[in-house]
Amino acid sequence: MQNINWRLISTHTILIIGVLFMSLPVWVAFATSTHAPETILRNGLQFWPGGHFFETYNEVLFVEGGVMKKVTALAMLKNSLILGVGFAVGKVVISMLAAYAIVYFRFRLAVPLFWVIFMTLLLPLEVRIIPSFQVVSGLGLLDTHTGLIVPLIASATGTFFFRQFFRSVPDELLEAARLDGATPWRFFVDILIPLSKTMIAAILIIMFVVGWNQYLWPLIMTTKEENYTLVIGIKQIYQILAEGGELPQYQKAFALTILATLPPVLVVLVFQNWFVKGLVESEK
Amino acid sequence: MKRVQFEHSSIPYLFIAPQILIIFVFFLWPAAQAIYQSFLLEDAFGLSSQFVWFRNYADTVFSDSWLQAAGFTVIFSVLVTFLSIGIALLLAVKANEVIRGASTYKTTLMWAYAIAPPVAGLMGNLMFHPLIGDLYKFLNAIGWDFDHKLNAFDAGFVVVLISVWKQVSVNFIFFLSGLQGIPKSVTEAATLDCKSPTRRFWTIVFPLLAPTTFFLMVINITYAFFETFGIIDTTTRGAPGGATNTLVFKVFQDGFRGADLGGSSAQSVVLMFIVLALTVFQFRFIERKVHY
């Protein structure tokens, strides 16, 4: 009996250390963001919330010049949402259509086109970042939502996921649908999409987080401040802190990291079960 | 493939067209450009360029700074992969054992998945800030003469720590669902046969997790190569003296900040081949040794 108890204690100790390791940095970032810059400069990071919560977050979120030169964190939040949602929806729609063609049709170019799609998995955007930039700027798409979102959709992770899922759908469904004289479009809309509902939701959640967290591509794509996303704002505030100044606004930097973290974390926590299912299933 | 399929000559092309179109414009075309530019040498003003065969490759790939970045990338990837997989495995095994508080542990250990690498980078950067950073002060207080702005080892330490922190949660999610997928009957039979939990883990549970571990190794290496860009860009930026440059960070540095298009393109192409080689290696050699 004694033995088992010790084991239980050590298990919980390890888990609690793990939880602290994962959570403490974010807690400290939040606590510090609610203090005055003088306090932070004098006493370092803070472990308990202070009295400047409303002041700091109000200034960062709503006041022009509060955090960047002109753009507010609220405007950046909007841009992040557009990127996250646009990326997720675009990716799901395009990859579902492509996967449907690959799995359910017999056509001559099926194999070569499949390999073209497969190739995109090998070369992340980071590797071809400069020519991608040139192509997008040549098309006049810098500082546009299209130029921001569409190149990110080029990689085929979603297509592979839906291909995998469609292949697990029983063949009898298609046979039955064909006997009833369903057209390919009918079958897709009336049978396949309703069947994929949970999967679509899971992929939307994962892709929203991936889109929201994009860094390098938005960084080189956006030249105007009003197009910054929150994650790009992180970069700018890093720059401002590095340049220094009379009183470094550490609390604003921390507030911005909290704002950039909160929406994707909330999405993951609220839809936890779908999210985990989607993540684990999609990688099989 | 499906036994039953539609037979239509044109409809599948309509369905697949959007994806193929995007890939052609934003993937194949830029990739071809990268290869083409890697053979060109531009003059200082970018007005004219000259075809120079493999000179860019020779100049950049065999330069000390590229080799230094390649060396750091290898060490960095190995450290990040093993540490984050190790920590996640330990936590997943423990979280799978407990009954009380299991879902709380699960949630609080996985939520960091949603944090963007540059956000983690900036947070870490401030934790290690010489003026306000408690970690910086703590390390110096316990006698480590810590200065990540000047010391290459210390800078590497910061980058590895933040990268591991950011990656533990993904690995944790996969290990935990892998552990939960092991049938109860297997673990119960093992408990009857073998008293020691540690031995039981290494002889029964770990081999069953081998496919997950293998898959996570691939994911983690890819992460260390590419996604840590945001962490490096908000912490060390390759300093001191290029000691924490990864290959991807260097492509960006040379191409955008250094305006060396040919050299940067040559590095891109070399990176493409490295990724290709890793993929082939993964399918050919490692996957065979894992029993599914």
Side-chain angles (χ1 to χ4, degrees):
Chain A
M1 218 40 212
Q2 197 71 13
N3 206 1
I4 296 167
N5 274 337
W6 275 117
R7 203 174 150 68
L8 201 65
I9 290 170
S10 85
T11 300
H12 280 282
T13 314
I14 289 171
L15 283 171
I16 288 166
I17 292 173
V19 168
L20 287 178
F21 173 67
M22 294 315 295
S23 310
L24 212 53
V26 182
W27 170 253
V28 168
F30 171 72
T32 310
S33 74
T34 61
H35 281 268
E38 295 86 356
T39 321
I40 302 168
L41 199 58
R42 204 173 334 111
N43 303 333
L45 302 173
Q46 301 295 318
F47 285 84
W48 301 111
H52 287 70
F53 175 82
F54 287 105
E55 196 185 317
T56 305
Y57 281 83
N58 181 44
E59 207 172 329
V60 168
L61 271 172
F62 305 113
V63 178
E64 257 188 38
V67 55
M68 303 280 118
K69 277 194 206 82
K70 221 172 69 205
V71 71
T72 59
L74 192 67
M76 292 194 275
L77 191 92
K78 198 188 97 197
N79 290 332
S80 287
L81 270 180
I82 292 173
L83 175 56
V85 173
F87 175 74
V89 172
K91 189 117 180 169
V92 165
V93 170
I94 281 179
S95 53
M96 263 187 100
L97 290 173
Y100 181 53
I102 290 172
V103 175
Y104 279 95
F105 290 88
R106 195 170 300 146
F107 57 109
R108 198 177 295 160
L109 291 177
V111 175
L113 288 181
F114 175 77
W115 281 103
V116 167
I117 295 174
F118 181 74
M119 252 171 57
T120 63
L121 295 183
L122 303 181
L123 302 175
L125 186 64
E126 283 86 348
V127 179
R128 52 197 159 81
I129 193 82
I130 290 162
S132 298
F133 171 79
Q134 290 167 335
V135 166
V136 171
S137 104
L139 293 171
L141 291 173
L142 290 185
D143 279 308
T144 63
H145 294 314
T146 318
L148 183 63
I149 294 169
V150 177
L152 290 171
I153 299 177
S155 111
T157 41
T159 313
F160 275 80
F161 170 73
F162 280 112
R163 172 174 166 265
Q164 211 70 352
F165 178 71
F166 289 162
R167 287 169 78 171
S168 72
V169 173
D171 284 353
E172 287 72 20
L173 282 176
L174 180 59
E175 279 169 22
R178 283 218 302 201
L179 282 180
D180 287 345
T183 61
W185 179 249
R186 280 278 93 166
F187 178 72
F188 184 59
V189 175
D190 289 345
I191 296 174
L192 217 47
I193 292 181
L195 266 179
S196 325
K197 254 190 217 147
T198 14
M199 289 299 147
I200 294 174
I203 294 297
L204 278 176
I205 292 160
I206 294 170
M207 291 305 167
F208 171 77
V209 174
V210 172
W212 178 284
N213 286 348
Q214 285 298 321
Y215 180 65
L216 181 55
W217 182 243
L219 186 67
I220 63 167
M221 263 292 303
T222 47
T223 53
K224 295 190 188 114
E225 219 191 56
E226 66 258 32
N227 292 327
Y228 284 170
T229 63
L230 275 172
V231 179
I232 301 308
I234 294 289
K235 160 86 171 191
Q236 300 304 320
I237 203 126
Y238 169 89
Q239 209 100 5
I240 294 166
L241 287 182
E243 282 159 11
E246 59 275 39
L247 185 59
Q249 303 286 312
Y250 296 116
Q251 85 286 9
K252 286 182 186 169
F254 279 119
L256 206 61
T257 61
I258 294 298
L259 289 173
T261 303
L262 211 55
V265 166
L266 280 181
V267 167
V268 164
L269 290 186
V270 171
F271 302 108
Q272 191 176 330
N273 290 335
W274 280 352
F275 157 75
V276 171
K277 188 175 154 63
L279 196 66
V280 175
E281 297 274 312
S282 67
E283 310 288 7
K284 269 178 189 160
Chain B
M1 274 300 124
K2 290 267 175 199
R3 268 186 303 117
V4 208
Q5 286 175 314
F6 285 114
E7 304 235 16
H8 277 272
S9 48
S10 58
I11 289 175
Y13 292 101
L14 284 178
F15 278 108
I16 209 171
Q19 170 119 50
I20 296 294
L21 192 71
I22 291 177
I23 288 178
F24 264 97
V25 177
F26 297 108
F27 181 86
L28 291 179
W29 178 240
Q33 287 275 313
I35 294 172
Y36 175 62
Q37 276 166 1
S38 69
F39 293 109
L40 297 181
L41 189 66
E42 285 202 354
D43 67 24
F45 305 101
L47 294 175
S48 65
S49 52
Q50 199 189 343
F51 195 81
V52 290
W53 290 105
F54 291 96
R55 218 180 99 187
N56 286 322
Y57 289 88
D59 283 356
T60 51
V61 174
F62 295 113
S63 70
D64 288 343
S65 62
W66 193 85
L67 291 173
Q68 184 189 26
F72 177 73
T73 309
V74 171
I75 298 170
F76 175 70
S77 311
V78 170
L79 280 176
V80 169
T81 303
F82 277 91
L83 288 174
S84 60
I85 285 187
I87 294 171
L89 181 59
L90 175 70
L91 291 173
V93 167
K94 296 296 169 191
N96 194 40
E97 267 175 32
V98 295
I99 296 157
R100 197 178 285 245
S103 68
T104 314
Y105 283 129
K106 187 182 164 198
T107 306
T108 43
L109 286 169
M110 61 158 255
W111 66 274
Y113 168 85
I115 297 177
V119 175
L122 184 71
M123 260 189 247
N125 186 33
L126 292 169
M127 308 274 154
F128 282 105
H129 198 284
L131 279 179
I132 62 164
D134 284 8
L135 284 171
Y136 181 88
K137 290 176 191 161
F138 171 75
L139 291 176
N140 275 297
I142 59 169
W144 180 350
D145 189 16
F146 185 86
D147 189 353
H148 59 291
K149 295 245 163 24
L150 292 175
N151 185 309
F153 179 85
D154 297 353
F157 174 81
V158 170
V159 178
V160 169
L161 180 70
I162 299 170
S163 305
V164 169
W165 181 81
K166 167 69 195 105
Q167 192 65 3
V168 164
S169 46
V170 185
N171 298 339
F172 173 79
I173 294 169
F174 278 96
F175 275 132
L176 190 61
S177 75
L179 284 166
Q180 286 168 347
I182 297 176
K184 263 253 149 25
S185 52
V186 173
T187 41
E188 274 163 12
T191 320
L192 289 178
D193 282 343
C194 172
K195 278 248 150 38
S196 152
T198 322
R199 260 202 61 198
R200 224 157 49 214
F201 175 77
W202 289 113
T203 52
I204 308 286
V205 179
F206 188 70
L208 286 172
L209 285 178
T212 312
T213 315
F214 162 70
F215 164 76
L216 285 177
M217 277 174 67
V218 178
I219 292 287
N220 281 270
I221 291 172
T222 319
Y223 162 81
F225 261 69
F226 298 104
E227 284 160 55
T228 50
F229 176 90
I231 294 176
I232 293 170
D233 200 37
T234 48
T235 50
T236 62
R237 291 215 171 152
T244 53
N245 264 340
T246 59
L247 289 173
V248 170
F249 194 71
K250 199 168 151 49
V251 168
F252 176 76
Q253 283 279 39
D254 292 356
F256 268 96
R257 301 211 172 115
D260 172 16
L261 273 187
S264 171
S265 302
Q267 290 180 40
S268 291
V269 176
V270 173
L271 255 180
M272 291 184 200
F273 279 107
I274 294 176
V275 178
L276 206 67
L278 276 177
T279 315
V280 172
F281 179 75
Q282 162 200 337
F283 281 117
R284 275 283 152 99
F285 300 103
I286 310 180
E287 204 150 54
R288 261 188 219 159
K289 296 198 172 151
V290 185
H291 300 286
Y292 286 99

